[in-house]
């Protein structure tokens, strides 16, 4: 019973192309003799042709599957993951501003476009979305500590109150649309 539930979750990760499952599970397709990561952009396989594995070694070596040429599941993301974590910490350390893409890519010694793509693939949000979420988190901390709204918004790097309100309206609107669509289902 638990195995069927795990299999259902793994299959859902493939259908959603869930990058957060990359490295945790791999799937192989019997008809092609290829194994992939869940986030592989290749065509979705038929469910009855798929087997799940916990490691690339297990899938490739013991079962005779070859790695996908698109997602390259055999490559370890550890060096890139370390660079993403370095940027992650750097963004969190900036208390009064959002660092630029060029600044972050210089910190981790990667080109800006490649770094932006890798960051989104690993973290599942863009650099700006993550940095902005951290800024809002810091603002909330200031407000919980009793700071005035204007003092808090300037302390976390907003140039004016209109910037904060513009972002909060857009976020609230998006959240309400999401809530409305989930209720309709």
């Amino acid at each position: 019973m638990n195995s069927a539930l795990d299999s259902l979750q793994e299959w859902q990760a493939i259908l959603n192309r869930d990058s957060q499952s990359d490295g945790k599970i791999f799937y192989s397709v019997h008809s092609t003799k290829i194994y992939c990561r869940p986030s592989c952009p290749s065509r979705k396989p038929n469910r009855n042709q798929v087997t799940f594995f916990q490691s690339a070694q297990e899938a490739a070596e013991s079962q005779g599957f070859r790695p996908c040429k698109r997602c390259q599941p055999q490559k370890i993301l550890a060096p890139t993951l370390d660079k993403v974590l370095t940027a992650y910490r750097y963004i969190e350390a900036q208390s009064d501003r959002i660092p630029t893409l060029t600044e972050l890519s210089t910190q981790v010694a990667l080109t800006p476009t490649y770094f932006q793509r890798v960051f989104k693939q690993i973290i599942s949000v863009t650099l700006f979305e993550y940095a902005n979420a951290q800024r809002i988190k810091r603002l909330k901390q200031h407000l919980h500590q009793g700071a005035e709204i204007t003092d808090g918004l300037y302390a976390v790097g907003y140039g004016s109150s209109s910037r904060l309100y513009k972002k909060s309206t857009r976020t609230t609107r998006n959240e309400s649309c999401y809530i409305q669509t989930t209720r309709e289902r």
Side-chain angles (χ1 to χ4, degrees):
M1 180 81 175
N2 192 18
S3 176
L5 181 61
D6 290 343
S7 181
L8 182 62
Q9 290 172 343
E10 291 166 340
W11 179 245
Q12 197 61 43
I14 293 170
L15 293 178
N16 295 335
R17 292 196 170 134
D18 183 14
S19 61
Q20 300 206 354
S21 297
D22 285 353
K24 298 175 188 169
I25 61 168
F26 299 88
Y27 71 94
S28 61
V29 182
H30 296 284
S31 59
T32 60
K33 287 293 194 184
I34 295 174
Y35 72 98
C36 299
R37 299 172 195 224
S39 66
C40 184
S42 64
R43 199 174 108 207
K44 290 184 178 59
N46 288 331
R47 175 64 182 100
N48 60 352
Q49 292 287 321
V50 173
T51 303
F52 298 101
F53 297 97
Q54 299 302 315
S55 73
Q57 297 290 359
E58 179 185 356
E61 292 177 10
S62 68
Q63 302 296 321
F65 293 99
R66 72 171 179 80
C68 174
K69 291 182 180 179
R70 291 182 84 179
C71 69
Q72 301 175 347
Q74 77 281 13
K75 289 189 177 179
I76 300 172
L77 293 175
T80 310
L81 184 60
D82 288 341
K83 292 182 181 212
V84 167
L85 289 174
T86 300
Y88 195 81
R89 290 183 194 110
Y90 186 77
I91 291 169
E92 288 179 347
Q94 305 303 313
S95 62
D96 60 345
R97 65 188 188 86
I98 292 179
T100 64
L101 175 59
T102 307
E103 182 182 348
L104 289 168
S105 61
T106 303
Q107 286 285 326
V108 296
L110 293 174
T111 63
T113 9
Y114 177 71
F115 180 60
Q116 187 172 23
R117 188 173 66 238
V118 166
F119 189 91
K120 181 162 182 164
Q121 181 181 23
I122 293 174
I123 305 295
S124 297
V125 294
T126 65
L127 284 159
F128 182 77
E129 289 170 337
Y130 177 73
N132 196 45
Q134 289 302 309
R135 182 163 54 171
I136 290 171
K137 179 180 166 185
R138 286 191 299 272
L139 175 62
K140 287 178 181 179
Q141 289 171 347
H142 281 287
L143 296 176
H144 283 294
Q145 294 169 356
E148 294 291 322
I149 292 176
T150 53
D151 295 336
L153 69 91
Y154 289 125
V156 298
Y158 284 105
S160 68
S161 61
S162 65
R163 298 290 179 216
L164 171 64
Y165 292 120
K166 182 179 178 182
K167 289 195 183 298
S168 67
T169 303
R170 189 177 333 142
T171 304
T172 306
R173 214 177 284 141
N174 289 343
E175 288 174 357
S176 65
C177 290
Y178 173 74
I179 290 168
Q180 184 178 17
T181 57
T182 54
R183 285 182 187 161
E184 291 172 358
R185 292 182 190 166

